[in-house]
Amino acid sequence: MTTTALAAVAETEERAPSPRRRRAWQRTIHGSPWTAVGFAAPLVIYLIAFYAYPLMRSVDLSVHDYNVRAFVQGNAEFVGLQNYVDVITSNLFKPALWNTLVFVGLSIIFQYAIGLALAVFFRHNFRLSGVLRALFLVPWLLPLIVSASTWAWMMNSDSGVVNAFLVAVGADPINWLTSPEWSLTAVIIANIWLGIPFNLVILYSGLQNIPGDVYEAASLDGAGAWKTFWRVTFPLLRPVSAITILLGLVYTLKVVDIIWIMTKGGPANSSLILSVWSYREAFGTGQPAFSPASAIGNLLILIALVFGLFYVRLQSREEH
Amino acid sequence: MARTAVSKKRSTWWKTALGVFFTAVMLFPVYWMVNVSFTQRSDLRANPPHLFPTNPTLEGYQAVAEQQLPALGVSLVVGLGCVILTIALAAPAAYAIALLKMRGGKTLNFILLVAQMIPAVVMSMGFYAIYVRLGLLNSLPGLILADSTVAVPFGVLLFTAFMSGIPRELLQAARVDGAGAWRTFRSVVMPISRNSAITVALFAFLWAWSDFIFASTLARNAEFVPVTLSIYAYIGNNTTQWNAIMATAVVASVPAAVLLVFAQRYVAAGVTAGAVKD
């Protein structure tokens, strides 16, 4: 997961001073209301120039028919939503959408389940637990190209260590990256591995916020470990879980590099997800097809936004 | 009493062993990367593979030293450029939102939240279209700007969350002493926000250092490419020298390792910042 910014909301907790103090504050500190605007102006200009404008260009690309020449001369023909129609009716759309669902769904489920199990495990105090937990962050801090190429080598059919292990325990070796049946599984495994640290850290800090006396009460009532987990930990962790999963969804949808480096979406499109398809159309072949590529990309934004809005609603509900 | 103490100790020992086991499984790929980086080329295809570099070689690292130093330098410059840009943009804006109570601050925060959901692949196409015209393709400033889009929203949100907690009295005191908004920002707010600044800087650097998508779309024909792209090219041209590829990977992971050792608590703070509310 290209876990980019996680500062997801960092909503300002306004511990507002009392009205009188607040007025005094405004008089003294605010100075002119333009002061604040002045401090924020560079950011606003930046956002317009390097977010809004590129996005606008991407929409513009998707409603024109851009080829390389039109790109430089800027005289591409306006085709309306034709690129979107082409993409959705393309015979790659259905498999890519399906692969996206499988990739995102399985990644999230396993990342979350393993992350949660580890978080519960690390909640116990034992020697070295802090150090070991820190070490768990390593996969998340490594550049994706590093982890992806390591996994690619580990999953190499002939001399990969994964197959050596399978043979050692008596199973058949698998053509992880070169067979259409296994390529999606291979990239999902690598992606789960990448996402575990993030889930572990967030869920662990969620666990820290569950008051200890709830557990004391549970143990007084004679609840065993299993029961305590399902009746106490899991329900109390639900808000944090929801946020973890939604963030995971949004970020997993964006994944390109890991799949591109390991399989390029192949063989025979078997590990092609929407984001990789978009990347391949635009930059992955000799002939850049920016218009369909940005149409796919924009569809992806729409999907991410749906989840994103869920997330925002959840956040604001949490606040109240 | 004594018996419980003993059984407690024993269960702790058992948990530590289990924890070490889990960590070892999780970190196996990292170990494998290091192991392969020291393996002789003739042993790379050994079946079964050697679990330890039985006959270690520095051949891979020699190749790194000969071929990858410029790429590492480029990544360093891009990373530092992103750090400077991100802090310069994010800290003042967060000051305006959190402490100067700028109107529209909430809207701005919402926009930043949404900005983080936009896939980099879409951004890269927009950037490509713009850079073609401006002649910024394959240039360091172009890459720094594009890479910074990952860290800037995060930076603003993190700074805003932290700065909201700064006691107002402190700023009022500065005001009484005759400090203007800028002076207050520079001499009071920023020094207090040091830890947040470190966290933001770490992440800005790490993301820029690890970026592959922007590098592979906006700087693919550059004279000097960042290390992610050069590893990628290495894999493409080189299917036999996996020890050199893995040695480059090890070297490219050094910043992550350094961060982990020196800045672990900032990293954890950054991951959880904002995602989980206290």
Side-chain angles (χ1 to χ4, degrees), chain B residues 157-201:
Chain B
L157 294 173
L158 193 101
F159 272 127
T160 306
F162 178 81
M163 288 178 185
S164 309
I166 296 179
R168 303 291 186 271
E169 290 75 10
L170 218 57
L171 305 190
Q172 275 160 335
R175 184 72 186 170
V176 170
D177 288 346
W182 171 249
R183 185 73 208 273
T184 309
F185 172 66
R186 222 190 49 196
S187 312
V188 181
V189 175
M190 276 321 276
I192 302 178
S193 312
R194 210 195 67 197
N195 283 0
S196 324
I198 295 176
T199 311
V200 171

Side-chain angles (χ1 to χ4, degrees), chain B residues 28 42 48 61 71 97 103 112 120-121 166 239 248 268 274:
Chain B
F28 180 77
S42 53
Y61 289 89
I97 296 169
R103 224 179 281 173
L112 292 167
V121 61
I166 296 179
T239 44
T248 318

